[in-house]
Amino acid sequence: MLQRHARVPLKMLLLDQRYFPGVGNWMADEIMWQMKLPPATPSGSLTGKQVTALHRTVKKVCKGAMDTVGVDWSDPPQDWLFRYRWEDGHVCPRCQAELVRESLRGRTACWCPVCQKRN
């Protein structure tokens, strides 16, 4: 699937409900942040190791969301991007760099330009 849509930004593919049902905008940002990849990363550029990590991270974020937000509308864990992505001016919980908020194919993407650099 990643290779079939090789040039599609990974964040946009994560939002495609045919492949990732239930993953919304904040969850896609969280997955990208935990993977340390910028949202515009081409889907087909992931290595085999990154594809395995993506699968693991999608499951972790979805389970974390269901265990907190899905149970009693609590917020996800303190060390997630979730708590800082909603407004301009917040900093990355991992490195304290100012977060970037920008439009990616009509959707808001929030990400850290330091932690999520493309190698």
Side-chain angles (χ1 to χ4, degrees):
M1 178 258 310
L2 295 172
Q3 291 305 314
R4 266 195 320 247
H5 303 285
R7 292 190 305 231
V8 174
L10 183 56
K11 176 176 175 168
M12 304 318 298
L13 202 56
L14 288 168
L15 292 172
D16 190 325
Q17 298 299 292
R18 293 175 297 175
Y19 306 117
F20 299 97
V23 173
N25 203 34
W26 77 262
M27 291 175 76
D29 279 346
E30 187 69 41
I31 292 163
M32 298 301 299
W33 182 76
Q34 289 192 22
M35 292 280 304
K36 297 184 179 179
L37 294 173
T41 300
S43 295
S45 69
L46 271 61
T47 65
K49 196 177 203 179
Q50 287 174 314
V51 171
T52 300
L54 175 65
H55 182 253
R56 188 174 38 253
T57 305
V58 168
K59 286 176 28 176
K60 175 186 169 192
V61 169
C62 289
K63 181 175 180 349
M66 292 306 296
D67 288 348
T68 55
V69 178
V71 171
D72 63 6
W73 293 99
S74 303
D75 287 338
Q78 288 285 342
D79 60 343
W80 281 21
L81 176 69
F82 174 86
R83 296 176 176 275
Y84 311 96
R85 73 171 295 279
W86 302 100
E87 300 170 2
D88 291 338
H90 285 272
V91 296
C92 175
R94 190 168 34 222
C95 76
Q96 304 307 304
E98 187 171 342
L99 294 171
V100 172
R101 289 174 52 82
E102 63 187 359
S103 181
L104 179 64
R105 295 195 177 181
R107 300 297 302 266
T108 299
C110 180
W111 60 288
C112 177
V114 175
C115 291
Q116 292 176 256
K117 271 188 182 167
R118 188 73 179 146
N119 295 334

